[in-house]
Amino acid sequence: MRRGVLLGLMPVLLVLLSARADEEPFQGFTRQTSATERDWETKFRALPSAEKQREYMQRLTARPHHVGSPYDKDNAEWILAKFKEWGWDAHIETFQVLFPTPKERVLEMVEPTRFTAKLQEPPVSVDPTSNQQNEQLPSYNAYSIDGDATAPLVFVNYGLPKDYEELERLGVSVKGAIVIAKYGNSWRGIKPKVAAEHGAVGCLIYSDPQDDGYFVDNVYPQGPMRPTDGVQRGSVMDFPSSSPGDPLTPGIGATADAKRLAVKDAPSLTKIPVLPISYGDAQPLLAALSGPMAPRDWRGSLAIPYHVGPGAAKVHLKVAFNWDIKPVYDIIAKIPGSEQPDAWVIRGNHHDAWVNGAEDPTSAQVTMLEEARAFGELVKQGWKPKRTIIYCAWDGEEPMLLGSTEWAEEHDKELQQHAVVYINSDGNTRGYLSMNGSQTLERFVNGVAHEIQDPETKLPVSQRLRLREIERAKSADDRQEIRQRADLRVQALGSGSDYTAFIDHLGIATLDLSFDGEANSGIYHSIYDDFYWFTHFADTDFVYGRALSQTMGAVVMRLADADLLPFEFTDFADTIRMYTKELKKLAGDERDAILERNKEVDEGLFTAVNDPRHPQVAPPKEDVPPYLNFAPLDNADDALALSAQRYDAALKAAWAAGPLSAATLQDLNQKLTESEHRLTTPEGLPRRPWYKHMIYAPGVYSGYDAKTIPGVREAIEQKHWDEANSEIVRVAKVLDNERALIDSAAQELEAAKH
Ligand SMILES: [Zn+2]
């Protein structure tokens, strides 16, 4: 048995060893420039300090620091001073954004009994910052509209479209009701959006202990999970259907004199009032529901029978907000490039938090600061990056990516011209390297991951990740792919952090990296996400913080120093083919499901199995979808794969023949920088033109989760069959433009003079 396991691992180890061979030059470097780069990277790797990260975290999380708070500004000035101390050319760029804070929050049950919700997270005696109540933002959902409603209550599971289909089968309508949804399984803003679409007049969102409470682990302060009265704050701005950033200045920078919409005209505010609550406050409300039992997989871990409602339970929800304009402070710091100052490698992480925010975002803000300190040190020692490095500590990420989106919108033209890559993080803990972003950088980031040592096992982080993925794989086919494919897959980006404007709106190649997967956490967006919690339950000795600094630093250095930018297209073409296969399966499954259900209706199945004591409504028959025409996409995929191979072969041959001329390199780098932008269209996605990228977007009905080839995928999911066909044609055209660019780069390499 043991022997078999070892034999099974052999191909993996061989791949890893051959890829690690030290004499192999880094991708995009000659033998000589690679050796120099390796020396500088080795010097860099020794610099980030776990102890300093702990110090920075203690300082940055000492007080609540949400947008508009005194300590948010104080932190911004402290971060600015640090960058300057380390020799960076740094300044603060300020934007003026709409940031609502609670004026009034009332939640009470008025029938059949009276109960008033606490809506208050109590301090914990061992935790020294949990009692800063004067500075803590109360628990609320930002960009909920003001509202006052008294209505029957209905439990809607996670509040997703398919949950409402089940409610319909149970004969339950939410029209005129207040819904209560569980946190999780989608981005939170989807819940009030779908509730409003079904006629609800208010929305409560609670944290069920099954998802991040005692079902998972001990609760705080005995363990890392959410206690009875812990509440998840968070934004419910409808950014997937419109755009993130300041709701009053969509598409433009929210400078002091920008032209603003009136608050009532802002398209991204919710349509109904929303309030997040703890399971302590939710339990009496849920216990008062009657009506049908909730389907088995809707039920959580509270010791109550979960009914759907409605029934006698009637609740009163009232929320009112201060609709203020507040400043956000982005710290922008530069090291100018020595050879190509007009090519920018950009790295960012936000500094604002909902409350004290140790895990989110300070755990990765401190890794970014240690990268910055180390780069300052290297510059003193004589390191001169070829390209300009720009570090950004964003403000206002939590309300909805305010600081990064406004900066990207304000500087859109320069960024599209000069930005090579945007590299993001937003929190870090213990575990495995999580690699997300543009698959044109998949080979590159795999290369970096070979070089970084896991602090616990001392394995290269890429090797540890590969073995973890084999452990987690669902099928023998998946395991085989993970063992045999040279590169681990980089996952597509949806949204939920500051990379959104860069990739989705501007079409700049993007990476988002962190370590996670080994530490339970149930304090997200609560007052308990603080220094005490982090240093007891997360990356307590900051060794994964150091590993993330080492990883990010290598990514930034190598992109800033490469002779030829390390973009690569065979992994990208392989990924596009995989997405196309998924889309075909989705369309087929959708068609089969409708055919089957129609047949069951005709057979009288739903009438026959209906239990008159627990009646259910038969689903309606639906039009059978037409077959879609995937041929344009298939043809584009094939052509793209051929061009990708051609570029790869031309690059290897040209590189083997000796260094390329400066003029050729400059030209190729220009084309490679443009490659992500080629995946966008000026018109953007159907009904949401701010989203220009045709391969990646957040889901209109999932939020943070990525929808790949979103125009086609969402048309299928939403049964817009004509649109699916026309989007296939648009995506094929974009891929063909990309192919043309790759071909022209390959041609240039084939003709290159050395
Ligand atoms: Zn964050």
Side-chain angles (χ1 to χ4, degrees):
M1 177 105 171
R2 186 159 289 265
R3 191 181 164 83
V5 168
L6 284 173
L7 282 174
L9 292 178
M10 285 302 281
V12 180
L13 297 175
L14 288 176
V15 169
L16 292 169
L17 289 174
S18 62
R20 283 199 70 213
D22 276 349
E23 58 280 9
E24 261 319 283
F26 291 141
Q27 192 188 347
F29 290 80
T30 66
R31 207 159 281 282
Q32 200 181 6
T33 55
S34 181
T36 311
E37 175 70 14
R38 199 178 285 280
D39 283 349
W40 282 117
E41 285 190 19
T42 305
K43 286 195 181 97
F44 173 85
R45 245 196 323 270
L47 290 171
S49 143
E51 194 41 50
K52 282 199 180 337
Q53 293 193 9
R54 166 187 275 271
E55 280 167 30
Y56 304 155
M57 179 181 279
Q58 193 155 22
R59 143 80 222 188
L60 290 167
T61 63
R63 289 166 54 191
H65 51 107
H66 52 270
V67 168
S69 67
Y71 207 62
D72 176 74
K73 184 161 193 257
D74 202 80
N75 273 347
E77 283 162 359
W78 183 84
I79 292 168
L80 175 70
K82 283 285 167 198
F83 273 105
K84 286 184 171 168
E85 178 191 325
W86 299 326
W88 292 63
D89 171 11
H91 67 277
I92 288 182
E93 196 162 330
T94 307
F95 294 98
Q96 303 291 335
V97 297
L98 180 70
F99 179 60
T101 51
K103 195 156 68 181
E104 199 181 353
R105 300 171 307 144
V106 177
L107 174 63
E108 52 193 1
M109 181 155 56
V110 291
E111 288 171 29
T113 50
R114 278 199 89 90
F115 161 77
T116 304
K118 268 194 277 192
L119 310 178
Q120 181 69 50
E121 299 181 290
V124 168
S125 60
V126 294
D127 176 342
T129 64
S130 63
N131 63 358
Q132 299 168 329
Q133 272 144 334
N134 290 340
E135 291 183 74
Q136 291 165 357
L137 269 180
S139 49
Y140 78 115
N141 287 131
Y143 305 106
S144 157
I145 56 164
D146 292 344
D148 187 347
T150 302
L153 190 67
V154 176
F155 173 51
V156 296
N157 194 28
Y158 291 106
L160 307 182
K162 67 175 172 33
D163 297 324
Y164 288 87
E165 283 170 26
E166 287 214 52
L167 282 174
E168 238 165 80
R169 298 274 339 266
L170 293 170
V172 174
S173 162
V174 303
K175 220 173 174 62
I178 292 173
V179 303
I180 180 164
K182 289 186 286 189
Y183 259 117
N185 268 13
S186 80
W187 170 65
R188 72 183 79 72
I190 301 301
K191 302 166 198 288
K193 169 157 108 176
V194 179
E197 285 173 359
H198 287 83
V201 296
C203 178
L204 304 172
I205 315 176
Y206 84 101
S207 304
D208 196 283
Q210 187 160 64
D211 294 313
D212 65 4
Y214 54 72
F215 183 80
V216 183
D217 201 339
N218 290 337
V219 303
Y220 194 62
Q222 285 74 40
M225 304 313 293
R226 198 176 297 278
T228 315
D229 296 314
V231 183
Q232 181 188 140
R233 289 158 189 73
S235 177
V236 288
M237 181 196 287
D238 187 9
F239 78 96
S241 312
S242 47
S243 59
D246 173 36
L248 304 185
T249 59
I252 59 165
T255 52
D257 54 359
K259 204 167 168 291
R260 286 182 162 71
L261 298 173
V263 173
K264 66 174 175 43
D265 298 327
S268 55
L269 307 186
T270 64
K271 302 286 183 279
I272 56 175
V274 195
L275 189 68
I277 59 175
S278 66
Y279 57 83
D281 278 340
Q283 179 151 352
L285 306 180
L286 289 166
L289 290 175
S290 52
M293 277 300 286
R296 190 168 274 275
D297 60 353
W298 287 29
R299 303 173 199 166
S301 295
L302 296 171
I304 52 166
Y306 283 72
H307 288 275
V308 167
K314 201 180 246 189
V315 297
H316 172 217
L317 168 67
K318 183 175 185 198
V319 286
F321 302 94
N322 307 300
W323 293 93
D324 297 331
I325 303 282
K326 291 278 165 82
V328 291
Y329 305 105
D330 292 339
I331 298 96
I332 310 291
K334 282 181 202 177
I335 298 177
S338 58
E339 290 178 22
Q340 297 167 45
D342 287 339
W344 302 347
V345 177
I346 308 172
R347 159 91 172 99
N349 192 103
H350 70 99
H351 66 80
D352 69 300
W354 275 118
V355 196
N356 298 68
E359 182 176 58
D360 180 8
T362 309
S363 57
Q365 177 65 229
V366 300
T367 71
M368 190 172 86
L369 289 173
E370 270 302 89
E371 295 155 44
R373 186 184 65 83
F375 285 152
E377 191 60 41
L378 289 193
V379 168
K380 272 188 218 146
Q381 293 176 25
W383 175 59
K384 291 192 182 73
K386 277 199 183 94
R387 299 183 179 84
T388 294
I389 296 175
I390 304 180
Y391 267 47
C392 312
W394 306 117
D395 198 356
E397 190 271 355
E398 293 297 1
M400 195 40 75
L401 324 178
L402 304 176
S404 56
T405 303
E406 297 315 316
W407 191 77
E409 288 176 345
E410 178 66 13
H411 301 283
D412 55 353
K413 302 248 156 25
E414 318 162 64
L415 284 167
Q416 280 175 337
Q417 228 182 331
H418 301 301
V420 174
V421 174
Y422 174 69
I423 305 144
N424 191 70
S425 58
D426 183 349
N428 191 59
T429 177
R430 296 171 47 240
Y432 303 86
L433 182 63
S434 160
M435 307 190 292
N436 311 287
S438 305
Q439 282 94 12
T440 50
L441 294 166
E442 189 167 277
R443 179 147 307 160
F444 166 69
V445 72
N446 269 267
V448 172
H450 286 311
E451 313 264 326
I452 307 298
Q453 191 186 63
D454 175 70
E456 285 170 356
T457 61
K458 312 297 176 200
L459 292 168
V461 297
S462 57
Q463 187 180 352
R464 189 170 191 229
L465 177 60
R466 190 183 294 266
L467 295 172
R468 162 73 155 193
E469 287 190 357
I470 293 169
E471 183 210 9
R472 291 266 162 132
K474 290 196 182 77
S475 69
D477 282 352
D478 288 355
R479 282 190 291 276
Q480 170 144 338
E481 187 199 276
I482 300 163
R483 290 195 172 106
Q484 290 182 347
R485 198 170 183 269
D487 297 318
L488 293 165
R489 289 190 181 277
V490 163
Q491 300 302 319
L493 285 172
S495 183
S497 192
D498 291 306
Y499 51 76
T500 308
F502 293 92
I503 186 156
D504 293 341
H505 186 57
L506 299 181
I508 295 164
T510 293
L511 287 172
D512 180 74
L513 307 174
S514 63
F515 288 92
D516 61 28
E518 280 187 324
N520 283 332
S521 164
I523 46 66
Y524 180 56
H525 292 182
S526 75
I527 65 165
Y528 311 114
D529 179 6
D530 61 14
F531 187 73
Y532 183 92
W533 180 89
F534 193 86
T535 51
H536 283 78
F537 300 109
D539 182 22
T540 53
D541 48 7
F542 293 81
V543 289
Y544 278 97
R546 184 172 55 210
L548 186 63
S549 293
Q550 291 170 336
T551 310
M552 289 293 200
V555 165
V556 170
M557 288 180 84
R558 231 174 275 183
L559 284 166
D561 287 340
D563 301 309
L564 184 65
L565 288 168
F567 288 82
E568 193 278 336
F569 302 98
T570 63
D571 280 351
F572 175 67
D574 172 60
T575 308
I576 294 293
R577 211 176 240 152
M578 180 177 81
Y579 294 160
T580 304
K581 217 167 113 186
E582 287 171 10
L583 291 174
K584 287 181 186 170
K585 183 171 181 316
L586 179 68
D589 289 353
E590 195 69 46
R591 191 183 149 83
D592 290 349
I594 291 173
L595 281 170
E596 171 62 25
R597 199 159 51 242
N598 287 354
K599 190 188 277 179
E600 290 171 2
V601 173
D602 289 342
E603 284 169 341
L605 179 150
F606 296 98
T607 321
V609 303
N610 192 34
D611 174 353
R613 296 191 189 178
H614 300 100
Q616 294 218 344
V617 180
K621 275 180 81 169
E622 278 184 64
D623 291 342
V624 178
Y627 286 105
L628 298 178
N629 179 15
F630 282 100
L633 198 47
D634 282 329
N635 289 327
D637 288 1
D638 278 8
L640 181 71
L642 285 174
S643 298
Q645 283 162 21
R646 180 184 169 192
Y647 176 79
D648 208 34
L651 183 63
K652 283 195 182 104
W655 224 237
L660 292 162
S661 73
T664 305
L665 283 172
Q666 194 188 356
D667 219 55
L668 286 170
N669 281 328
Q670 195 50 48
K671 283 178 179 156
L672 293 166
T673 301
E674 200 198 317
S675 65
E676 193 79 21
H677 193 243
R678 285 262 173 140
L679 301 171
T680 64
T681 59
E683 303 78 24
L685 294 174
R687 293 170 296 283
R688 41 177 183 157
W690 188 89
Y691 292 91
K692 311 269 183 220
H693 208 294
M694 301 302 281
I695 309 299
Y696 318 113
V700 170
Y701 286 102
S702 63
Y704 288 173
D705 278 359
K707 292 286 175 183
T708 53
I709 313 191
V712 180
R713 191 179 297 265
E714 293 197 321
I716 296 170
E717 288 172 349
Q718 292 162 29
K719 302 178 183 171
H720 300 152
W721 311 112
D722 288 345
E723 187 170 288
N725 272 325
S726 59
E727 286 298 301
I728 287 173
V729 173
R730 287 180 77 213
V731 175
K733 207 167 152 205
V734 157
L735 292 175
D736 197 55
N737 278 335
E738 181 79 351
R739 180 217 40 85
L741 184 78
I742 299 169
D743 267 342
S744 87
Q747 194 174 18
E748 196 163 344
L749 281 167
E750 287 157 358
K753 306 236 177 342
H754 293 270

